[in-house]
Amino acid sequence: MITKRTLSIRQAIFFVIAMGLLIPALVSSVISLRYSQIALRKNLESQGQIMLDNLVVSLEQPLWDMSFATAERLVDSLMRDTRIVRVTVTDANFGKFVDRFKPERKRATQWQEQKTIVHEGQSIGRVLLVLDDEQLHKDLNAQITGIWVLIIGQLFISLALISWLLQIRLVKPLVQLINDSKRLASGALDLSFNWTRSDELGMLGNSLEFTRQSIEKMVGELEEKNKQLNSDIQARKQVEEALRASEHRFRTLASNAPVGIFRVTATGRCLFINNYWTGRTGISVESVIGSDWTELVVETERSRIFDLWHLHSRDKSAFMTEFLAATVLETPFWVDCKLLPLLDDQGNLTGYIGTLTDISEQKEVETILLKAKESAEAANAAKSEFLSNMSHELRTPMHAILSFSDIGERRVEEVGADKVRQYFSKIRISAHRLLSLLNDLLDLSKLEAGRMTYLRRPSSLAKATHEILDEFQSLALSKKVPLKLLPIDDEPVVLIDQQRMKQVIANIVSNALKFAPEESTIECVLTKNYKIDGKKGLLLSISDQGPGIPLEELELIFDKFIQSSQTKTGAGGTGLGLSISRKIVEDHGGKIWASNQTEPANGAIFYVWLPVTESKDEVIEI
C-alpha cells in the first residue's frame, strides 16, 4: 500500500515561516530592482544626450570648415570613454565625414541617438552616438547579490530563533503528549499524567488525564457488567435450547402437515414455509424465504390481498381470505388462507403464523353448482318466455279463426256471398299462419331434440334458389320488388337436403319481401371457392334494400322468438325462422350470418355458406 508522505509540525512551521519571509522580501526586492534599473537607464540616456549635445557644438565649426583633422581629434578624445561603441559624423553634402567604431565594446544592449548639426540656421550634417549599457547591468547585479545576502541572512537567523522556540514550547510537550497517549492506548491506566503547564498544550495534557480517569472508571464498570452478561448468557443459552427444541417440534409438525404452513414478520417478510407447499406449487423454498408472503398469490390478485392484510396487521388482528395461489407446475388453484398474529409479552406484534389449504376441489363443486343453478334459472326463464310467446302466437290466429267463424255463423243470412267469402279467406289465412307456426315448432322440437332427418344428395344451390324465387314471384310483383339471381359459371355441387335448404332460402327471401320497400330490389348472388377456416365452399348472399339490422342485433336475430327492432312493423312472424335456418345450415356443416350493406343502398344481407364435399347420396339422421 502506498502511504502519502506528510510534513512534521516543525517542518510545516519552518516552511510556512520561510515562505512568509521570502515572499514579501522577494516582492519588495523585485520592485526595488525594477526602480533601480529604470533610474540607471535614465541616467545612461541623460549622459548620452549631454555627450551628443557637446559633440554637436564642438563639431559645428570643423564640419563647416571641412577640417577633418580637428573633427578626428574631437571624436578620438570622446572615444576614450569605454562605454562609447560608435561615433559617426556625416556631412550633408559629401556623406560620411568621420566614423569611429569599437565592436569589441558591444557587451550588452546599446543605446543610440543621432542629432543634426546646424550652422547659422542651416543643416550641414548629422552625428550618431552609440553607448553600451554593460555598466548598468553590473550595477544591477551588484544590487541583486546584496539583496540575496540580506534575505538569506535574515532567513537563517529567523529560522534559528524559531527552531529554538519550537523545541522549547512545542516539540518537547508534544513528545510528552505522544508518550502519554501510547500509555493510554496500551491500557496502562494505573499511573496518572502530570501536567503543570498553563498553556494550550497543558490544557490538552490535563484533558488526556481526565480521559484516563474516565476510561479507568468505565473499565471497572464494564468488568462488572461483563460478569452480569456472562450470567445472562448462560440463562439465554438455556432459553435458546428450549426454543430450538420447540422450533424442531414445530418444523417436524409443519413438514408433515397436509396443508401449507408459513411464518412471516410483522412487515410480511416470509421466514418459513413447509415442504408440502413448495412441493404443491413447485416454487423453491429459497425463492420464498426473505420475500413478501404475498408472492404466494397470483400476480393479478397480489395487490388486493396485500392491502387487505395490511389493514388487519395494523389492528394486530387475524386475517382470513381466499385467493388463487401462484404455481409453476400447473394453472393457479384456489386456497383458503388463515393468518394468526404473534404478540410478545408487551402486546407488540412480532409476526404471523399462517396456513394455506387447497380448496380447488371445493371451488370446482361450487362452480358446478353455480352453473347448474344458472342453467336451471336460464331454462326456467326460457320456458317462461317460450310459453309467453307461444301463447301469444297461437292465440292471435286462433282468435281470428274463432272470431270470423262466429261472425259468419251469426250473419250468414244477413250478408252476401262476397262478405262470407271474405270471412273464409281470413279464416284460411289465420289457419295457414297457425299451421306455419305449428310446423316451425315441430321443426324446432326435432332440431333441439336431435331427431331431424336429412336426405342429403348432390344438388345445385342455384337451382334450389331459383325455384324459391319462382314461388315468391307473384308476391314480389304485387309489391313491385323484382327478385334477381345472378348467374354463375361452373357451379360446384353441394351435398344438401333440398327440401330443408329451400326452407332456409324461403325464410330469408320471405323476410326480405316483408321489409323491402316498393320498387327496391332483392338480389341473390352465388360465390364459389369462398374459404372459411381454410375450407372451400359455396356462398349464397341474399340482399335487400330495407331498413337493415342494428349492429348489436346482427347475432341476436338468430335466437328463438327474436325479431330486429328495425323490422318490428307488424308484418307478422314468430321469430323462429332464422333460429331454425341456422340449425339446419349448421347441421349441413355450413354457416349462416347477417350484415348490413351500404352500396348501392342500405339494407340487410344474409349469407349462407355450404362446404363442397364428395358427391354421393347419403341419409344422415341427426
Side-chain angles (χ1 to χ4, degrees):
M1 184 177 66
I2 300 174
T3 57
K4 186 178 179 180
R5 185 177 179 182
T6 57
L7 297 175
S8 65
I9 295 177
R10 179 186 297 180
Q11 291 171 339
I13 292 174
F14 282 173
F15 179 76
V16 171
I17 292 173
M19 291 298 101
L21 292 174
L22 281 174
I23 291 173
L26 289 175
V27 171
S28 64
S29 299
V30 169
I31 295 172
S32 175
L33 287 172
R34 181 60 180 162
Y35 280 115
S36 296
Q37 184 182 13
I38 293 171
L40 290 172
R41 171 64 67 178
K42 288 182 177 180
N43 183 41
L44 178 65
E45 292 175 356
S46 175
Q47 291 179 7
Q49 287 291 345
I50 292 172
M51 291 180 184
L52 189 58
D53 292 340
N54 292 333
L55 194 57
V56 167
V57 173
S58 302
L59 289 173
E60 178 184 353
Q61 193 61 41
L63 185 59
W64 174 257
D65 296 336
M66 296 298 293
S67 175
F68 179 74
T70 304
E72 278 190 329
R73 285 195 300 272
L74 287 172
V75 171
D76 289 339
S77 65
L78 188 62
M79 289 295 292
R80 292 191 188 99
D81 191 336
T82 58
R83 294 177 299 171
I84 298 174
V85 176
R86 188 170 196 165
V87 176
T88 302
V89 181
T90 305
D91 183 77
N93 296 318
F94 301 104
K96 188 178 290 185
F97 187 65
V98 176
D99 184 21
R100 294 289 185 268
F101 178 49
K102 301 285 187 180
E104 67 276 6
R105 294 181 180 179
K106 295 175 67 176
R107 298 183 180 88
T109 57
Q110 284 77 46
W111 174 89
Q112 67 178 17
E113 186 70 38
Q114 65 179 356
K115 199 169 185 179
T116 303
I117 301 174
V118 180
H119 180 73
E120 294 180 357
Q122 180 183 356
S123 174
I124 60 174
R126 290 178 301 169
V127 62
L128 172 68
L129 176 64
V130 179
L131 295 176
D132 187 80
D133 62 354
E134 180 189 16
Q135 187 61 39
L136 183 146
H137 288 285
K138 288 181 178 179
D139 294 342
L140 282 176
N141 288 335
Q143 291 185 20
I144 290 171
T145 301
I147 288 172
W148 274 112
V149 171
L150 180 63
I151 290 173
I152 292 171
Q154 181 182 357
L155 182 62
F156 178 78
I157 294 171
S158 299
L159 292 178
L161 290 173
I162 291 169
S163 178
W164 177 75
L165 287 173
L166 286 175
Q167 182 67 28
I168 298 299
R169 303 296 297 175
L170 184 62
V171 176
K172 187 175 179 181
L174 284 176
V175 171
Q176 184 179 352
L177 275 174
I178 292 170
N179 292 332
D180 290 347
S181 299
K182 289 180 179 179
R183 282 175 52 201
L184 185 64
S186 65
L189 304 175
D190 51 340
L191 297 177
S192 60
F193 305 146
N194 297 318
W195 284 82
T196 58
R197 299 171 63 100
S198 59
D199 57 6
E200 290 81 358
L201 291 175
M203 294 172 64
L204 184 59
N206 289 327
S207 296
L208 194 63
E209 169 60 16
F210 293 150
T211 303
R212 185 196 66 79
Q213 294 174 4
S214 299
I215 293 175
E216 186 177 17
K217 182 179 179 181
M218 289 173 60
V219 168
E221 293 175 352
L222 286 174
E223 289 176 350
E224 290 296 325
K225 290 183 178 179
N226 191 39
K227 293 178 182 178
Q228 182 64 36
L229 184 60
N230 287 331
S231 176
D232 293 342
I233 289 173
Q234 294 300 323
R236 185 178 181 86
K237 285 182 178 179
Q238 296 175 358
V239 173
E240 288 177 350
E241 288 294 334
L243 285 174
R244 276 195 291 270
S246 175
E247 181 75 13
H248 178 70
R249 288 193 297 273
F250 167 76
R251 291 183 180 272
T252 302
L253 291 172
S255 298
N256 293 281
V259 296
I261 298 177
F262 65 103
R263 284 178 56 189
V264 299
T265 64
T267 58
R269 185 169 55 86
C270 191
L271 299 175
F272 167 80
I273 190 164
N274 66 344
N275 293 329
Y276 166 82
W277 190 254
T278 57
R280 178 70 177 84
T281 61
I283 301 174
S284 65
V285 174
E286 292 76 13
S287 64
V288 175
I289 301 301
S291 62
D292 195 282
W293 78 268
T294 54
E295 295 292 323
L296 303 175
V297 186
V298 293
E299 187 174 357
T300 55
E301 289 281 295
R302 197 168 294 159
S303 177
R304 180 182 68 84
I305 297 299
F306 178 82
D307 293 339
L308 289 174
W309 173 77
H310 186 62
L311 291 174
H312 284 76
S313 66
R314 286 192 301 182
D315 298 333
K316 305 176 185 177
S317 60
F319 175 63
M320 291 177 287
T321 187
E322 295 178 356
F323 57 78
L324 283 170
T327 176
V328 297
L329 298 179
E330 55 188 30
T331 57
F333 57 93
W334 282 98
V335 297
D336 176 68
C337 175
K338 293 182 176 64
L339 282 167
L340 298 177
L342 301 175
L343 306 177
D344 60 15
D345 296 337
Q346 288 75 36
N348 298 318
L349 180 66
T350 60
Y352 278 87
I353 185 167
T355 60
L356 298 164
T357 306
D358 185 352
I359 58 169
S360 52
E361 292 183 0
Q362 176 184 335
K363 282 289 183 181
E364 288 177 3
V365 172
E366 290 178 359
T367 302
I368 292 171
L369 292 174
L370 180 61
K371 288 183 178 179
K373 177 177 176 291
E374 291 175 350
S375 297
E377 291 175 349
N380 187 53
K383 181 186 72 173
S384 299
E385 183 182 1
F386 176 79
L387 291 174
S388 175
N389 284 323
M390 287 311 303
S391 63
H392 173 74
E393 293 296 334
L394 289 170
R395 188 183 297 114
T396 300
M398 185 61 71
H399 180 72
I401 292 171
L402 292 174
S403 297
F404 285 112
S405 298
D406 181 62
I407 293 172
E409 185 180 6
R410 285 187 290 105
R411 301 181 62 186
V412 66
E413 297 179 356
E414 300 176 8
V415 298
D418 292 339
K419 198 67 174 177
V420 172
R421 188 178 295 109
Q422 184 179 357
Y423 291 157
F424 281 123
S425 176
K426 292 185 181 293
I427 291 171
R428 179 180 56 80
I429 292 172
S430 297
H432 276 296
R433 182 177 178 187
L434 184 58
L435 179 61
S436 175
L437 175 60
L438 292 174
N439 286 332
D440 285 347
L441 287 173
L442 288 173
D443 287 344
L444 182 63
S445 176
K446 287 181 180 181
L447 288 168
E448 290 189 340
R451 295 198 304 270
M452 178 67 75
T453 302
Y454 298 99
L455 183 60
R456 301 204 299 180
R457 291 195 176 116
S459 305
S460 167
L461 190 59
K463 181 180 178 182
T465 305
H466 190 273
E467 290 175 359
I468 293 299
L469 294 182
D470 284 345
E471 291 179 11
F472 284 95
Q473 202 62 244
S474 60
L475 179 60
L477 291 174
S478 67
K479 294 193 66 174
K480 299 180 182 179
V481 177
L483 303 176
K484 293 183 180 180
L485 174 61
L486 300 186
I488 181 173
D489 296 329
D490 300 326
E491 177 193 0
V493 176
V494 290
L495 202 61
I496 58 173
D497 184 319
Q498 275 210 13
Q499 189 63 30
R500 292 300 176 184
M501 198 53 62
K502 283 182 179 181
Q503 182 181 347
V504 173
I505 299 169
N507 183 45
I508 297 174
V509 173
S510 175
N511 287 338
L513 280 171
K514 286 178 185 178
F515 308 113
E518 289 188 1
E519 298 183 355
S520 62
T521 302
I522 295 176
E523 188 174 79
C524 302
V525 180
L526 284 166
T527 304
K528 59 184 179 181
N529 298 327
Y530 190 90
K531 287 186 177 181
I532 292 182
D533 298 330
K535 189 174 182 180
K536 291 182 180 180
L538 184 61
L539 180 69
L540 170 63
S541 62
I542 302 173
S543 59
D544 61 58
Q545 297 173 3
I549 305 168
L551 291 177
E552 64 274 9
E553 297 177 4
L554 287 174
E555 189 64 25
L556 288 175
I557 58 174
F558 291 97
D559 291 343
K560 297 185 290 292
F561 302 107
I562 299 296
Q563 292 183 349
S564 171
S565 60
Q566 289 287 87
T567 58
K568 289 181 179 178
T569 61
T574 62
L576 294 175
L578 288 177
S579 177
I580 294 171
S581 298
R582 167 166 281 186
K583 184 63 177 172
I584 292 172
V585 172
E586 289 178 350
D587 286 347
H588 280 76
K591 292 182 181 294
I592 181 172
W593 69 96
S595 66
N596 290 310
Q597 59 177 348
T598 56
E599 297 292 341
N602 294 328
I605 178 167
F606 283 81
Y607 297 94
V608 176
W609 179 85
L610 295 170
V612 177
T613 58
E614 295 181 5
S615 57
K616 61 181 179 179
D617 294 354
E618 59 177 326
V619 178
I620 301 179
E621 185 173 342
I622 301 179

